[in-house]
């Protein structure tokens, strides 16, 4: 995957993250792309908005994509390293690639995914980093709840 394409796809996830923040939620966004590059689904973390601890960005994008015959060849793009829950979803359904916007503020399960044969480019995108750092500084209690340390 080339950097230009990864950046374009990351912009979709960033739009979702900004939408989540505007709704009063945790600013994490994701998008699922087909092997042909078509956007299958997109979503953002809605744990706060829906009162649902399982409403993570990656699961929202996955659900929005609907049933697929196979997820082989698909790419999940996420603004933040996926937690263990979302990493399990990627592994369970055979998603081939996870593009990670940043892993500085949270180092989730992306190393494990790479060990399992999933391609995992980490972009270290400055906008993703700034978005999460700002949120963590303003909402440390909510952030700790989101990562299971609350």
């Amino acid at each position: 995957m080339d950097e230009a394409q990864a950046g374009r796809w990351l912009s979709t996830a960033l739009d979702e993250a900004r939408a989540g923040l505007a709704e009063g939620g945790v600013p994490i966004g994701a998008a699922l792309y087909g092997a042909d590059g078509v956007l299958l689904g997109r979503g953002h973390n809605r744990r706060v908005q829906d009162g649902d601890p399982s409403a993570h960005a990656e699961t929202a994008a996955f659900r929005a994509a609907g049933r697929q015959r196979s997820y082989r060849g698909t790419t999940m793009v996420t603004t933040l390293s996926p937690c263990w829950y979302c990493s399990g979803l990627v592994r369970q359904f055979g998603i081939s690639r996870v593009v990670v916007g940043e892993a500085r503020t949270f180092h989730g399960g992306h190393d494990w995914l790479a060990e399992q044969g999933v391609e995992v480019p980490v972009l270290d995108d400055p906008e993703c980093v700034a978005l999460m750092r700002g949120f963590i500084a303003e909402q440390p209690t909510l952030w700790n709840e989101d990562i299971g340390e609350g």
Side-chain angles (χ1 to χ4, degrees):
M1 160 168 262
D2 67 51
E3 266 187 59
Q5 183 181 42
R8 286 190 302 274
W9 288 3
L10 181 61
S11 69
T12 303
L14 267 165
D15 287 346
E16 287 292 329
R18 288 187 211 101
L21 183 62
E23 295 170 357
V26 180
I28 303 169
L32 184 64
Y33 284 88
D36 57 1
V38 170
L39 177 63
L40 300 173
R42 58 192 289 168
H44 54 272
N45 185 301
R46 295 194 49 85
R47 293 180 69 256
V48 173
Q49 300 92 312
D50 296 348
D52 179 353
S54 70
H56 291 207
E58 297 87 347
T59 58
F62 181 75
R63 289 174 181 151
R67 280 181 61 196
Q68 304 294 314
R69 186 169 181 268
S70 172
Y71 295 89
R72 305 251 184 277
T74 62
T75 299
M76 179 70 74
V77 183
T78 180
T79 57
L80 186 65
S81 178
C83 70
W84 287 107
Y85 169 65
C86 295
S87 295
L89 179 145
V90 167
R91 182 73 173 101
Q92 173 72 30
F93 290 95
I95 294 170
S96 299
R97 180 186 303 126
V98 177
V99 175
V100 176
E102 70 103 344
R104 287 191 208 177
T105 58
F106 180 76
H107 195 103
H110 70 268
D111 290 334
W112 174 77
L113 286 170
E115 291 169 5
Q116 302 304 307
V118 177
E119 182 184 341
V120 186
V122 178
L123 304 181
D124 198 27
D125 180 80
E127 191 172 353
C128 291
V129 173
L131 186 63
M132 286 311 302
R133 284 189 175 160
F135 175 77
I136 292 166
E138 292 176 19
Q139 299 281 347
T141 303
L142 184 54
W143 170 245
N144 286 327
E145 175 190 323
D146 193 66
I147 62 171
E149 295 181 9

